[in-house]
């Protein structure tokens, strides 16, 4: 059994998609990051970084229970555990390259683009421009790569596609103000629509829907999500 520590945001969505595609039994454990539940000591024992997603595999190597945190690490772990969605041996170098491009580039720059366009106080024009333009640049890299391709790596569906789906699903927020945020990236748009049409993607969207996550962006939410911004929470943020 896989316990998936989850909040309805892009990185946990990637893992939910894998679990649904692979047909693995899993339990969603809600972590309401807007309430600060990711900073609880009980969760920090699972992810010392205080972020979702994380998983606990109760049937890890040798039958022992193991934790895995960071969405890219989780996708790699699950692909190796199941022997699914990792491509062939000849795809390994490309798979790792694109998985980490998405995990350390497109994802973080997209997240910062969303943050400075929606959450940060006004007057951060340099930061808004910086992160929005870098998100766009990463989109262009992926769009160019996908020309004439159905999948990011090789000739089959892999964890790289799952990773990309998680953040491209939020393109409307990354590209704030665009009525069709993927119009400038036709290869991404074609690829994303194909991944999003998979039955497992619809099921992954239902993960955690039985739990009522906090939606109000109030002071409690800001202090929970961005504790490093508050001097009195500095030690809490460091864990």
């Amino acid at each position: 059994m896989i316990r998936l520590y989850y909040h309805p945001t892009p990185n946990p969505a990637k893992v939910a998609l894998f679990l649904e595609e692979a047909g693995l039994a899993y339990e969603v454990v809600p972590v309401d990051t807007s309430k600060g539940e990711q900073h609880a000591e009980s969760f920090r024992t699972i992810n010392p970084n205080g972020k979702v997603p994380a998983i606990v595999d109760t049937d890890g190597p040798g039958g022992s229970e193991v934790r895995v945190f960071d969405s890219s690490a989780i996708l790699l772990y699950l692909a190796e555990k199941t022997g699914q969605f990792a491509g062939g041996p000849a795809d390994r170098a490309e798979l790792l390259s694109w998985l980490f491009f998405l995990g350390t580039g497109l994802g973080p720059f997209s997240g910062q683009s969303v943050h400075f366009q929606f959450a940060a106080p006004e007057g951060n024009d340099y930061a808004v421009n910086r992160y929005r333009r870098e998100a766009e640049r990463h989109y262009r890299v992926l769009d160019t790569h996908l020309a004439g391709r159905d999948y990011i790596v090789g000739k089959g569906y892999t964890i790289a596609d799952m990773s990309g789906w998680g953040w491209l699903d939020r393109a409307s927020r990354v590209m704030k103000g665009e009525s069709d945020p993927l119009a400038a990236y036709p290869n991404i748009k074609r690829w994303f629509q194909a991944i999003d049409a998979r039955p497992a993607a619809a099921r992954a969207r239902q993960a955690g829907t039985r739990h009522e996550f906090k939606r109000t962006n109030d002071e409690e939410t800001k202090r929970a999500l961005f504790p490093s911004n508050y001097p009195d929470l500095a030690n809490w943020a460091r864990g």
Side-chain angles (χ1 to χ4, degrees):
M1 169 68 75
I2 303 292
R3 293 199 296 271
L4 169 59
Y5 293 81
Y6 178 91
H7 187 271
T9 43
N11 290 323
K14 305 172 186 179
V15 178
L17 179 58
F18 183 102
L19 293 168
E20 290 292 346
E21 292 282 12
L24 287 175
Y26 72 100
E27 172 193 2
V28 171
V29 181
V31 179
D32 199 328
T33 59
S34 292
K35 294 180 179 178
E37 292 175 357
Q38 70 275 29
H39 304 299
E41 184 177 353
S42 58
F43 182 68
R44 288 291 183 107
T45 63
I46 298 165
N47 185 356
N49 194 34
K51 304 284 186 181
V52 288
I55 66 168
V56 169
D57 181 1
T58 61
D59 186 24
S64 61
E65 183 172 288
V66 298
R67 69 175 186 185
V68 192
F69 56 89
D70 185 274
S71 61
S72 294
I74 295 169
L75 290 174
L76 277 170
Y77 171 82
L78 292 175
E80 291 173 356
K81 175 185 174 72
T82 63
Q84 299 184 68
F85 308 116
D91 299 321
R92 181 69 172 178
E94 282 287 299
L95 179 75
L96 292 175
S97 296
W98 286 103
L99 186 66
F100 285 95
F101 165 84
L102 294 163
T104 67
L106 187 144
F109 279 109
S110 295
Q112 293 298 328
S113 180
V114 171
H115 175 79
F116 282 102
Q117 291 180 105
F118 288 93
E122 293 184 4
N124 289 285
D125 293 347
Y126 177 88
V128 170
N129 182 70
R130 162 71 176 162
Y131 289 111
R132 172 68 176 261
R133 299 304 172 230
E134 273 296 289
E136 291 170 350
R137 185 182 70 79
H138 281 78
Y139 274 44
R140 288 194 299 272
V141 171
L142 182 59
D143 190 69
T144 299
H145 174 70
L146 283 169
R149 297 173 180 269
D150 292 328
Y151 303 103
I152 294 177
V153 175
K155 298 185 181 300
Y157 180 49
T158 70
I159 55 176
D161 300 295
M162 298 177 194
S163 180
W165 173 83
W167 264 108
L168 270 299
D169 188 46
R170 300 300 177 94
S172 62
R173 291 180 64 77
V174 176
M175 306 298 173
K176 182 181 179 181
E178 298 290 340
S179 59
D180 184 354
L182 294 180
Y185 314 98
N187 298 312
I188 289 180
K189 186 173 183 177
R190 167 186 50 80
W191 162 87
F192 176 80
Q193 289 175 340
I195 304 302
D196 201 48
R198 297 176 69 90
R203 296 195 300 271
R205 292 184 186 282
Q206 295 302 306
T209 54
R210 294 182 180 180
H211 182 79
E212 187 64 34
F213 290 93
K214 182 181 177 183
R215 302 290 183 181
T216 306
N217 187 24
D218 56 16
E219 185 66 13
E220 178 195 42
T221 298
K222 293 175 183 176
R223 292 171 71 87
L225 294 178
F226 318 119
S228 299
N229 291 348
Y230 298 87
D232 60 313
L233 297 179
N235 291 330
W236 182 37
R238 286 194 294 267

